[in-house]
Amino acid sequence: MLTKVPTAIMGFPTVQITMITRDELLREFGEVGQAHGCYVGKYVVATYTLYCCLRNADGHDLAITSKDIHDPQFASSVGLSAPSHLSHDRPTIFAIPPNIYGFTHAIAVPSTYHGLLNRSANRTDLFLCLPIFQCEFSGNESEEDFKWSTHHIVDVNNWRRIRQPKISLYFDNPRTGGGADKDGAIVSLETLMAEIENLNGVSDGFIEITNYRDEVIEVLSPEEGRYVLIQNRQHEELMERAGVVAAVETFTTG
C-alpha cells in the first residue's frame, strides 16, 4: 500500500505525492522493523548484509543504507539533517552532526542515480541518502559520474571506510605512455600517488589535479627526485617527493 499526500502551494492545483509505506517495504525485504522514526529492512547476500533505513519526509522518502552496520539512530539523524527541498536533477550535499564514524556531510541523490527498490513503480521521490566525507563528492556529479565513483572509488555503504577524495586527473607521461585528456579522469588517491611517482624525472610530462572544490594544482618534475608544485596557475614551489605528496593529499582532502 502506498500513501498519497495531497499538497497545495500558493493556490496552485493539488499535487499528489506518493510515499513508500511499510507494506511495500515488506514486499521488498520480507521483514521490516521500526526504529527512531524509520522503517528498517535488510538485504542478506553472500558476503555482507546491507541495512536500509527509510524515513518518510515531507514530500519525499529518504533511504539511508549501510553495509554490515546496524545503527538506525545514526541513520535517522542523517535523514533528519536533510533539507526540506532536494533536487531531482542533481545531488544535494548537506552537513550532518558529529558522529563516531567521522563523517562530516551527507549526499542525497534522486531515484535516477540509484537502483534501490528498483522493482517499485512508485519510487520517483525516493532519495538515496549517504553519509560522506566532504571531499568525496562535489555535488555536481552527473548520474554517470556518481554511479562510476560509487562503483570504483568510494565504497559509500561502508561506514568504516578511509575517505576517498574526488580527484579529476589530466596528465601526460611520455615515458610510460599514460595520460588523460583535458576532461580529466576520475581516479583514486592511490592512483594519483602512483602517477606522481611515475612522473619522477620526466621533464616533458605533467599532472593537473582538480579537487572536489573545482580548484586546480599542477605538478611537474624537471629532474629526478625534484618536483615543482604550481598553485593558482602561477605560484611555483620546488620540492622533493615527500613534500609534493603531502601537499597533494592536503589539497585533495582538506
Side-chain angles (χ1 to χ4, degrees):
M1 182 176 68
L2 295 171
T3 301
K4 290 189 175 181
V5 182
T7 59
I9 304 174
M10 298 293 289
F12 287 93
T14 298
V15 177
Q16 295 293 322
I17 299 174
T18 302
M19 307 294 286
I20 296 175
T21 67
R22 186 174 184 272
D23 288 342
E24 179 149 357
L25 294 175
L26 281 169
R27 291 195 292 272
E28 180 75 18
F29 297 110
E31 183 178 339
V32 176
Q34 287 185 263
H36 300 280
C38 296
Y39 295 123
V40 181
K42 64 182 180 181
Y43 296 106
V44 180
V45 297
T47 57
Y48 64 89
T49 298
L50 185 71
Y51 292 94
C52 177
C53 178
L54 186 132
R55 172 176 288 278
N56 295 134
D58 184 16
H60 54 255
D61 296 311
L62 293 171
I64 301 94
T65 54
S66 58
K67 185 162 59 177
D68 292 330
I69 295 179
H70 180 51
D71 189 347
Q73 183 174 3
F74 172 63
S76 177
S77 74
V78 172
L80 286 170
S81 299
S84 57
H85 174 74
L86 297 173
S87 173
H88 282 80
D89 302 316
R90 56 178 287 177
T92 301
I93 293 178
F94 53 93
I96 61 174
N99 55 84
I100 62 172
Y101 307 104
F103 293 120
T104 57
H105 291 72
I107 184 170
V109 295
S111 58
T112 53
Y113 278 65
H114 66 87
L116 194 65
L117 301 181
N118 59 7
R119 290 181 293 181
S120 171
N122 300 284
R123 60 189 296 278
T124 303
D125 297 303
L126 175 63
F127 288 81
L128 181 61
C129 189
L130 302 163
I132 63 170
F133 299 100
Q134 186 178 18
C135 63
E136 293 179 324
F137 295 94
S138 66
N140 295 322
E141 289 79 12
S142 65
E143 294 175 30
E144 181 181 359
D145 289 343
F146 180 80
K147 291 174 182 177
W148 197 93
S149 292
T150 55
H151 277 87
H152 298 281
I153 306 293
V154 187
D155 187 4
V156 287
N157 292 313
N158 178 6
W159 290 357
R160 296 189 180 98
R161 69 181 179 269
I162 297 172
R163 60 186 176 181
Q164 293 293 335
K166 180 178 183 178
I167 298 167
S168 179
L169 189 61
Y170 166 40
F171 75 106
D172 181 56
N173 189 322
R175 178 189 291 168
T176 65
D181 61 25
K182 282 190 174 183
D183 291 336
I186 302 299
V187 302
S188 66
L189 184 59
E190 181 181 8
T191 297
L192 172 58
M193 293 306 178
E195 291 302 336
I196 289 173
E197 178 62 33
N198 290 339
L199 187 68
N200 188 13
V202 183
S203 60
D204 54 348
F206 71 90
I207 292 175
E208 184 175 288
I209 306 158
T210 304
N211 66 8
Y212 72 100
R213 291 192 177 102
D214 208 29
E215 300 166 334
V216 178
I217 60 172
E218 298 169 74
V219 179
L220 307 175
S221 181
E223 59 184 274
E224 194 78 21
R226 306 291 281 176
Y227 290 86
V228 176
L229 182 70
I230 305 174
Q231 303 181 58
N232 302 320
R233 306 288 189 187
Q234 55 186 5
H235 177 67
E236 297 186 8
E237 185 177 356
L238 186 66
M239 55 181 64
E240 296 182 351
R241 182 183 180 281
V244 79
V245 165
V248 166
E249 185 167 355
T250 298
F251 173 76
T252 56
T253 62

